[in-house]
Amino acid sequence: MVKIASYGTWASPIDAAVVAQSGRRPGWTSTHASGVWWTESRPADGGRLALVRHDGAGARDVVAAPWNVRNRVHEYGGNPYVVIDDVVAFTNWDDQRIHTVDIEGKGEPAPISPAPERPQGARYADLIAGPGGAHVWCVRETVTGDRPIDVRRDLVAVPLSGGEPQVLAASHHFMTAPKPSPDGRYAAWLGWEHPDMPWDSTELCVAEVLADGTFGPHRVVAGGPGEAVCQVEWEAEDSLLVLTDPQGWWNLHRVGLDGTAVNLAPCEEELGGPLWMLGYRWFAPLGRGRFVVLRGGRLAVLDERSGTVTDIDTDLPSWASDISAVDGVVTAVAGGPLSEPAVVSLNLSNGELTALSEPSTGIPDERYLPRPVERTFVAADGRKIPAYVLAPTNPDFAAPEGELPPYVVHVHGGPTSAYSPVLSLSLAYFTSRGIGVVAVNHGGSTGYGREFRDVLKGQWGVVDVQDSATVAAALAAEGTADAERLAVRGGSAGGWTAAASMTTVDTYACGAIHFPILDLSSWTSGGGETHDFESRYLEGLVGSLPEHADRYAERSPINHIDKLAGPVLLLQGLEDEVCPPEQANRFVAGLDGTGIPHAYLTFEGEQHGFRKAESIIAAHEGEMSFYGQVFGFTPPGVPVLELRR
């Protein structure tokens, strides 16, 4: 029998421990003769990334704990392994060195890159097999000083037998790993310079491979100012397949060594995405002029003969940017509104879909899962604001007649990113207890073309805040949400928007601010409180310095604690190099004694985002208790979070 109970008081089988188990997510899939490979997060094992191989008979770990297949390049990391014949080379988190082990996992992994002078002082990412299979080609990041921006990058060849890496080239401050042409004569890679981010402007470089293995002078064959190449693959000895956006949309092009380019299927669709991590793949060749591509995250086939892009009929609408294809079988991580991301293979000839990775344990009956409803709201300037509404969902409970549910506006990170409607038990934790969620793809989000992406230029802290508030207000006005019980939450850049919202608009009763940016002036190359990759990101999002110093100060939430619209909860990893705890520490110090209810949860051993099971559990239970205290309900089975004033 359905019980009548106020929103927020519903009991749910999706407890915080189940959410933590769901953090066992796969990534970085690849297909080789030895099988399908991927990494997999293990929250119950300290949050390490395991390396997994499926040989056709089943999946098993290749290296045991404590091996952690991650790296720190750009602090977000990049492709951490490569299979070369009967050996797999991988990066290990603790020492950041490259190690090799037999593909069967026999024996103990052995390092092949030298020990750096300072701990984690040499980091490697985007591992690729060099010509002949004797070397790993990759990006090496070398720490050159004590400041976060004291970093040099080189393209290097690391001998599989061990020894000193050979520097191949260093064309730009930022680069992807070089990819050898089929005949081994040339190498191609992407490069870009500060202050551009890789979705702003990148250059596709091609260079001859010299007799000593190094590269000759490079030439730029695609990209440049205002054009962002996000993926390149060799098609033949003299041609490349390139995802780039000279017309404002990431489309697939064929590019010759002389720079001539042909768009294989011109369309106002995003077939690529932002290169947040080195090694992303949004397309793969199928042969005979056909390519599997991701169109806005959905799997599709591009046919250059007809110039068309056609969706593939599958129950999994969200595919990750780790696409590979061999003999008509596509492999990647994919998921949907009712299914968590998993490694799957899809046989395009017969439509057979096979799950290769094991699902998380404890996944509940789908009746407890919200169905994201895609909607479009309208900004004050007439611009469209895409969003997904996740209503409170629990078959065991209904609210008293006339009661409206509290709603949380969920803001994605980046901010050059987007929310995708794939199952998140993190959000279902709230919806199954009677709290609605709306995920907003504010101006600046990806998947809608460069014009939409550039709406945020100079307007971070304005457009994102206004778009989120517009959606929240619209839900309240139509009677979907309780106008008196609205909250905003987000992590990283989403944490910034949550904090900026709480100090500039009166839409929300409270905010949950996860590992945020709070002080723009310090989150710069000169301020010293962020990493090199994003140290000049704000020049595009906010404005150049020192010309716009006043804008940096005016928009920073840390300067407006006295304007907070309500209580706030801050959550912070203490080893975060992207959004360091110093900012949250200062913010909370300014809050103490103001009388504004607040709480601050910190997590030892966590970097940018929470990976350990105990951290995930504490974060969700703390946030749920926080909402209950602000919105006036008591969530069952959740420890009470102490609020400070």
Side-chain angles (χ1 to χ4, degrees):
M1 179 180 292
V2 175
K3 302 175 183 177
I4 304 300
S6 292
Y7 291 112
T9 67
W10 300 352
S12 169
I14 308 175
D15 61 19
V18 170
V19 177
Q21 290 171 350
S22 74
R24 183 178 168 133
R25 292 203 168 190
W28 297 118
T29 67
S30 63
T31 305
H32 303 272
S34 56
V36 176
W37 294 70
W38 65 87
T39 62
E40 193 169 278
S41 179
R42 299 289 168 80
D45 203 1
R48 75 180 184 97
L49 282 189
L51 182 60
V52 183
R53 173 191 169 203
H54 194 293
D55 61 5
R60 64 180 180 84
D61 290 3
V62 178
V63 291
W67 295 102
N68 187 355
V69 186
R70 289 177 61 200
N71 55 71
R72 285 186 57 182
V73 172
H74 296 178
E75 293 301 343
Y76 293 111
N79 180 25
Y81 74 92
V82 62
V83 180
I84 304 177
D85 298 326
D86 60 352
V87 169
V88 58
F90 66 92
T91 58
N92 181 51
W93 176 260
D94 286 346
D95 59 12
Q96 292 295 305
R97 299 169 72 185
I98 301 177
H99 300 253
T100 58
V101 71
D102 178 87
I103 60 171
E104 301 293 340
K106 298 176 182 177
E108 189 71 7
I112 62 171
S113 62
E117 293 183 1
R118 66 166 69 196
Q120 298 193 344
R123 310 148 181 180
Y124 303 83
D126 206 7
L127 277 56
I128 290 172
H135 296 81
V136 175
W137 279 9
C138 57
V139 175
R140 181 182 65 188
E141 191 174 75
T142 304
V143 178
T144 61
D146 296 330
R147 299 178 304 168
I149 61 172
D150 291 337
V151 176
R152 185 186 73 247
R153 296 176 188 85
D154 300 284
L155 304 182
V156 299
V158 181
L160 278 179
S161 57
E164 191 65 29
Q166 181 183 34
V167 176
L168 305 174
S171 61
H172 295 71
H173 189 59
F174 300 101
M175 296 166 289
T176 64
K179 296 182 178 180
S181 61
D183 58 6
R185 292 180 57 200
Y186 296 97
W189 68 93
L190 308 182
W192 67 97
E193 301 285 356
H194 278 313
D196 287 320
M197 299 300 288
W199 44 84
D200 295 323
S201 301
T202 57
E203 294 183 331
L204 171 55
C205 304
V206 173
E208 185 178 359
V209 179
L210 304 179
D212 65 356
T214 63
F215 301 163
H218 74 274
R219 59 185 182 277
V220 176
V221 299
E227 181 180 343
V229 184
C230 61
Q231 183 184 347
V232 58
E233 308 291 343
W234 286 94
E235 181 182 40
E237 288 80 0
D238 59 352
S239 66
L240 299 138
L241 295 166
V242 179
L243 276 176
T244 187
D245 67 343
Q247 281 78 47
W249 299 86
W250 277 305
N251 282 191
L252 185 59
H253 296 70
R254 177 175 290 112
V255 177
L257 296 184
D258 60 355
T260 57
V262 176
N263 189 334
L264 301 185
C267 57
E268 292 190 350
E269 303 274 3
E270 294 284 41
L271 309 184
L275 192 64
W276 275 104
M277 302 176 75
L278 301 179
Y280 282 168
R281 303 185 307 273
W282 291 269
F283 81 90
L286 295 172
R288 291 186 283 187
R290 299 169 72 244
F291 308 86
V292 60
V293 298
L294 296 184
R295 172 161 63 179
R298 300 185 70 93
L299 201 65
V301 169
L302 184 152
D303 191 329
E304 68 170 292
R305 295 165 297 185
S306 60
T308 58
V309 179
T310 305
D311 286 341
I312 297 173
D313 186 17
T314 170
D315 292 333
L316 302 176
S318 298
W319 291 67
S321 48
D322 60 352
I323 295 288
S324 63
V326 177
D327 297 330
V329 177
V330 179
T331 303
V333 173
L338 301 179
S339 56
E340 286 193 296
V343 178
V344 300
S345 64
L346 176 65
N347 189 320
L348 296 180
S349 64
N350 59 18
E352 182 179 352
L353 185 72
T354 304
L356 302 179
S357 62
E358 296 182 3
S360 300
T361 57
I363 300 300
D365 187 317
E366 67 177 33
R367 293 177 303 157
Y368 295 91
L369 304 177
R371 275 67 168 173
V373 176
E374 186 173 8
R375 295 188 56 183
T376 300
F377 298 85
V378 181
D381 60 2
R383 183 173 38 81
K384 294 180 179 179
I385 309 171
Y388 291 86
V389 178
L390 288 70
T393 305
N394 188 317
D396 302 327
F397 290 90
E401 185 176 354
E403 181 180 344
L404 293 176
Y407 255 79
V408 175
V409 174
H410 174 76
V411 187
H412 62 72
T416 309
S417 184
Y419 169 82
S420 177
V422 66
L423 174 60
S424 166
L425 289 186
S426 178
L427 297 183
Y429 176 80
F430 299 110
T431 58
S432 63
R433 285 168 167 74
I435 299 178
V437 175
V438 57
V440 180
N441 283 338
H442 56 71
S445 301
T446 54
Y448 309 98
R450 181 179 283 264
E451 183 178 352
F452 190 89
R453 202 160 71 239
D454 285 350
V455 165
L456 209 57
K457 292 290 187 182
Q459 295 296 308
W460 197 37
V462 178
V463 165
D464 50 320
V465 169
Q466 292 175 349
D467 284 3
S468 300
T470 294
V471 171
L475 291 179
E478 70 185 26
T480 297
D482 184 344
E484 302 301 317
R485 296 193 293 173
L486 297 173
V488 60
R489 77 185 300 265
S492 190
W496 152 267
T497 301
S501 297
M502 290 301 297
T503 54
T504 58
V505 298
D506 59 4
T507 307
Y508 310 104
C510 62
I513 304 167
H514 301 228
F515 39 95
I517 301 161
L518 298 163
D519 184 349
L520 293 178
S521 299
S522 297
W523 206 77
T524 60
S525 57
E529 288 186 349
T530 191
H531 59 143
D532 182 54
F533 178 59
E534 294 180 273
S535 62
R536 297 183 65 183
Y537 193 7
L538 298 186
E539 292 182 31
L541 292 175
V542 181
S544 58
L545 289 172
E547 296 90 340
H548 298 99
D550 290 348
R551 186 183 296 174
Y552 279 62
E554 177 58 31
R555 293 188 191 170
S556 293
I558 201 164
N559 297 328
H560 303 290
I561 293 174
D562 59 323
K563 297 179 181 177
L564 277 169
V568 290
L569 165 66
L570 285 90
L571 305 97
Q572 179 70 53
L574 294 180
E575 295 181 8
D576 194 337
E577 298 289 342
V578 177
C579 296
E582 287 80 3
Q583 295 215 349
N585 291 344
R586 293 198 302 273
F587 192 87
V588 173
L591 265 173
D592 287 337
T594 62
I596 300 171
H598 63 280
Y600 184 31
L601 299 179
T602 59
F603 301 95
E604 294 279 357
E606 295 286 13
Q607 295 91 44
H608 198 57
F610 309 140
R611 296 175 175 270
K612 299 179 181 181
E614 57 268 30
S615 303
I616 296 169
I617 291 170
H620 282 79
E621 290 182 340
E623 189 171 348
M624 190 68 201
S625 175
F626 174 71
Y627 292 143
Q629 293 181 61
V630 175
F631 292 150
F633 59 77
T634 301
V638 175
V640 176
L641 176 69
E642 183 179 353
L643 300 184
R644 295 148 57 173
R645 293 180 184 272

